[in-house]
């Protein structure tokens, strides 16, 4: 999986995720790459077969890193 990051129109973080139709993805965030404490930001990202845009919530400034995993 390759998660691309950029800025949306309002200047907020925009994450782009290529998906497989029907697969479910989990977006997680952390303040450190070395952390074992990743918070689930969105557990219900459903693949469409296209690249989808995700705008993570902006309420927690401690989240500097994002990752995505395929839900089991």
């Amino acid at each position: 999986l390759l998660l691309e990051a950029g800025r949306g129109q309002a200047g907020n973080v925009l994450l782009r995720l290529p998906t497989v139709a029907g697969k479910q993805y989990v977006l997680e965030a952390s303040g450190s790459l070395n952390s074992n404490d990743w918070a689930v930001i969105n557990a219900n990202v459903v693949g469409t077969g296209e690249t989808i845009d995700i705008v993570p919530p902006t309420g927690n400034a401690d989240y500097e890193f994002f990752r995505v995993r395929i839900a089991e």
Side-chain angles (χ1 to χ4, degrees):
L1 292 174
L2 174 63
L3 184 63
E4 297 177 19
R7 293 279 176 193
Q9 291 180 345
N12 50 350
V13 173
L14 175 69
L15 305 173
R16 303 197 82 205
L17 172 66
T19 65
V20 173
K23 288 281 187 187
Q24 185 171 349
Y25 302 88
V26 178
L27 176 65
E28 299 175 328
S30 178
S32 169
L33 284 176
N34 296 323
S35 176
N36 288 327
D37 187 27
W38 287 80
V40 174
I41 300 299
N42 189 339
N44 193 29
V45 178
V46 178
T48 63
E50 302 291 328
T51 297
I52 58 174
D53 293 341
I54 303 168
V55 178
T58 57
N60 191 333
D62 293 337
Y63 294 153
E64 296 182 26
F65 301 96
F66 297 92
R67 72 181 183 187
V68 124
R69 63 181 171 83
I70 298 172
E72 295 295 328

